[in-house]
Amino acid sequence: MAFNFGAPSGTSGTAAATAAPAGGFGGFGTTSTTAGSAFSFSAPTNTGTTGLFGGTQNKGFGFGTGFGTTTGTSTGLGTGLGTGLGFGGFNTQHQQQQTTLGGLFSQPTQAPTQSNQLINTASALSAPTLLGDERDAILAKWNQLQAFWGTGKGYFNNNIPPVEFTQENPFCRFKAVGYSCMPSNKDEDGLVVLVFNKKETEIRSQQQQLVESLHKVLGGNQTLTVNVEGTKTLPDDQTEVVIYVVERSPNGTSRRVPATTLYAHFEQANIKTQLQQLGVTLSMTRTELSPAQIKQLLQNPPAGVDPIIWEQAKVDNPDSEKLIPVPMVGFKELLRRLKVQDQMTKQHQTRLDIISEDISELQKNQTTSVAKIAQYKRKLMDLSHRTLQVLIKQEIQRKSGYAIQADEEQLRVQLDTIQGELNAPTQFKGRLNELMSQIRMQNHFGAVRSEERYYIDADLLREIKQHLKQQQEGLSHLISIIKDDLEDIKLVEHGLNEPIHIRGGVFS
């Protein structure tokens, strides 16, 4: 679930909301793009209002207004992302003409203003004047319930349209803040993500045909080469394919086409239609955020999210260098993140199984290697002894007929001294003899114990079992007789211990 901030091509007044993926950003504004010097997609220039970071009228962006989505021609981020991150909308204030860019940074028009919406929402929740009697209090509670749930319309005045309650409104209770990974790829890496409405096995089996089809979509230019960086399974039988395009120049050099340029080409109307025919449902770039963009993103809470909760989410961020807080609005977003989490858990488990198999194989190879090393050590020792014997014989033949030299005499004296120390009763020889005796005794006892084993014939074993069973039955019968006799003895003792007058009365 990485953020993917691309730069979609900005045609005037056209929203690219369908290109923004679930769980990823579609683009950080747009700039006027023309065909590159070597890479020519004939991308049209932007004729509409510039994007988030490019326009002079842009006074900064925020996550919507204080009370949720706005009306008019603009759409919030929740609309652009579908079941995506669920932002209420990145809007700017006091702009007349706005353009929805990549389904992310949508900027609303001026009707109604934020103050009017605030007043209307407050009236609908606290003091509606629709009926003019005590039923208005019940209507206020009903409007509060709708605001908590995040759906419905709040009627409060006969002359003013009702307030539309969405899940982005600040009173909606079904909200939480999670964390998503930030991409670390640069625009020069040229990575573009295409989400196909097909299974991963189908994509892998038709990968070559897919590459050829994408090459045709790019115009069939021979200087361009489409490469697949990787594939990943997504929930609902979808597959994420990461691609990049390499452009070769006539002088032999090559470079990757920037991700923003490739994404702008894919966002053209005719190109998008061809991609949809191939099964592409979403497309986005995978580029990292600049520190200024991250700072601007964190400073403004999303629409409908309490600033205190947003600040606490930033404090609780487990890794601020790699993760960024994102709001989760509604059960659909929670379900989507749950599916993605399950999918990643399955992928991690699969990877762990592969690692476990590799470890088992390495352990087997290690055992085999240890056995071979021990064998080679024994072989080396045998060869060393044989080499020493050959050297001794060769030296004897070479020195035959010569008198003993001084160094040889000195060596012979040293050897005699060592031999005498070894033969001394209290020295090494005596200890070696003692150890040899103990080893022989242990071997003898071990052989005796190993020989003292008894084997019983199967028929004899059955007879013994039958005899023991009969003995057990006899003992059980004897125990029952003894118990009965003990009961009789207790009865007799009880009769003897009764008072005498009772017995006399009985006898009379």
Side-chain angles (χ1 to χ4, degrees):
M1 295 183 60
F3 288 103
N4 298 286
F5 293 82
S9 62
T11 57
S12 177
T14 302
T18 57
F25 285 113
F28 245 109
T30 57
T31 56
S32 298
T33 57
T34 57
S37 58
F39 184 78
S40 59
F41 277 139
S42 299
T45 59
N46 297 332
T47 58
T49 305
T50 57
L52 179 62
F53 297 103
T56 57
Q57 295 180 352
N58 199 342
K59 300 179 181 179
F61 67 94
F63 286 79
T65 60
F67 285 90
T69 58
T70 59
T71 59
T73 58
S74 64
T75 57
L77 180 58
T79 305
L81 288 178
T83 58
L85 296 174
F87 286 95
F90 289 74
N91 59 3
T92 57
Q93 301 175 357
H94 307 293
Q95 288 183 270
Q96 298 298 327
Q97 295 181 352
Q98 306 295 341
T99 303
T100 304
L101 301 176
L104 176 62
F105 294 97
S106 57
Q107 299 156 340
T109 56
Q110 201 173 357
T113 62
Q114 182 176 355
S115 60
N116 290 336
Q117 186 180 11
L118 177 61
I119 295 173
N120 294 340
T121 304
S123 301
L125 297 178
S126 60
T129 58
L130 185 65
L131 302 174
D133 53 17
E134 65 275 3
R135 291 176 294 177
D136 287 338
I138 301 175
L139 182 60
K141 293 182 179 180
W142 172 246
N143 290 339
Q144 293 173 12
L145 181 61
Q146 291 185 101
F148 293 159
W149 183 260
T151 183
K153 295 181 179 181
Y155 292 90
F156 64 97
N157 193 297
N158 292 321
N159 300 323
I160 302 177
V163 178
E164 187 79 23
F165 293 117
T166 63
Q167 292 183 341
E168 286 77 19
N169 79 82
F171 301 100
C172 180
R173 298 299 180 89
F174 303 109
K175 294 179 183 178
V177 178
Y179 300 92
S180 295
C181 294
M182 292 186 292
S184 58
N185 305 102
K186 299 182 180 299
D187 187 35
E188 293 78 11
D189 296 334
L191 298 182
V192 174
V193 177
L194 300 177
V195 179
F196 288 84
N197 195 19
K198 299 179 181 179
K199 295 183 178 180
E200 184 181 6
T201 55
E202 185 178 356
I203 293 294
R204 289 185 179 276
S205 62
Q206 301 177 358
Q207 181 171 332
Q208 185 60 35
Q209 293 87 337
L210 175 63
V211 171
E212 294 176 356
S213 300
L214 292 176
H215 188 263
K216 292 179 181 179
V217 170
L218 297 177
N221 194 341
Q222 298 299 324
T223 60
L224 302 178
T225 305
V226 179
N227 299 276
V228 177
E229 179 75 10
T231 59
K232 184 176 68 174
T233 302
L234 297 179
D236 301 329
D237 294 334
Q238 293 183 337
T239 304
E240 176 186 281
V241 180
V242 182
I243 66 170
Y244 64 92
V245 177
V246 177
E247 179 187 16
R248 298 187 305 273
S249 60
N251 57 5
T253 60
S254 61
R255 71 178 184 94
R256 290 192 180 188
V257 177
T260 53
T261 305
L262 183 59
Y263 177 77
H265 178 73
F266 285 158
E267 284 303 297
Q268 298 181 34
N270 58 337
I271 302 299
K272 184 180 292 186
T273 302
Q274 297 180 27
L275 292 176
Q276 291 176 354
Q277 293 176 358
L278 296 176
V280 177
T281 58
L282 299 172
S283 61
M284 58 184 173
T285 60
R286 180 163 290 178
T287 54
E288 64 179 355
L289 289 171
S290 65
Q293 292 171 339
I294 296 175
K295 182 179 179 181
Q296 187 76 3
L297 185 66
L298 295 177
Q299 283 180 350
N300 299 282
V305 177
D306 193 326
I308 299 177
I309 298 177
W310 186 251
E311 291 297 328
Q312 186 63 35
K314 292 191 291 183
V315 173
D316 296 338
N317 193 341
D319 190 351
S320 59
E321 298 295 330
K322 297 181 180 179
L323 302 178
I324 189 169
V326 293
M328 294 182 292
V329 180
F331 293 104
K332 290 184 179 180
E333 172 63 14
L334 184 61
L335 178 61
R336 187 193 65 80
R337 290 181 71 95
L338 179 61
K339 289 181 178 180
V340 174
Q341 183 74 21
D342 291 340
Q343 189 68 36
M344 293 302 297
T345 302
K346 292 179 181 179
Q347 293 181 3
H348 291 165
Q349 186 61 44
T350 303
R351 177 58 57 184
L352 288 176
D353 294 339
I354 295 175
I355 294 175
S356 178
E357 293 177 0
D358 293 341
I359 291 175
S360 300
E361 187 67 23
L362 290 175
Q363 289 177 347
K364 292 180 182 179
N365 295 337
Q366 182 188 12
T367 304
T368 305
S369 300
V370 170
K372 288 184 178 180
I373 290 173
Q375 179 182 358
Y376 292 151
K377 283 183 178 180
R378 291 192 297 270
K379 188 174 181 180
L380 176 62
M381 187 176 295
D382 294 339
L383 292 176
S384 299
H385 291 167
R386 292 175 61 183
T387 303
L388 183 60
Q389 292 176 0
V390 171
L391 290 176
I392 290 173
K393 292 181 180 180
Q394 182 180 5
E395 188 68 16
I396 290 174
Q397 292 179 359
R398 189 176 69 85
K399 292 292 185 178
S400 62
Y402 291 92
I404 298 177
Q405 298 178 0
D407 54 348
E408 295 177 347
E409 181 64 24
Q410 184 178 2
L411 181 60
R412 186 181 65 80
V413 172
Q414 293 179 358
L415 291 174
D416 291 339
T417 303
I418 294 173
Q419 185 67 27
E421 291 179 357
L422 291 175
N423 293 332
T426 59
Q427 294 296 326
F428 303 104
K429 190 172 183 179
R431 296 180 182 178
L432 288 174
N433 292 333
E434 183 179 356
L435 292 174
M436 289 297 297
S437 300
Q438 293 179 0
I439 291 172
R440 291 193 186 95
M441 291 177 64
Q442 291 179 358
N443 293 335
H444 176 68
F445 290 149
V448 171
R449 283 195 297 269
S450 62
E451 292 176 359
E452 293 178 355
R453 296 179 180 176
Y454 299 96
Y455 299 93
I456 302 176
D457 185 69
D459 296 334
L460 181 59
L461 184 60
R462 284 196 297 270
E463 292 179 2
I464 293 174
K465 289 183 178 180
Q466 184 67 24
H467 179 70
L468 293 176
K469 183 178 181 181
Q470 294 176 357
Q471 292 289 337
Q472 183 68 28
E473 293 176 353
L475 290 174
S476 300
H477 184 64
L478 182 59
I479 289 172
S480 63
I481 294 174
I482 292 173
K483 288 182 178 180
D484 295 337
D485 293 340
L486 289 175
E487 293 293 333
D488 295 337
I489 292 173
K490 289 180 180 180
L491 183 60
V492 171
E493 289 179 351
H494 181 69
L496 292 176
N497 292 332
E498 288 181 355
I500 298 175
H501 67 276
I502 296 176
R503 288 185 292 174
V506 173
F507 290 128
S508 62

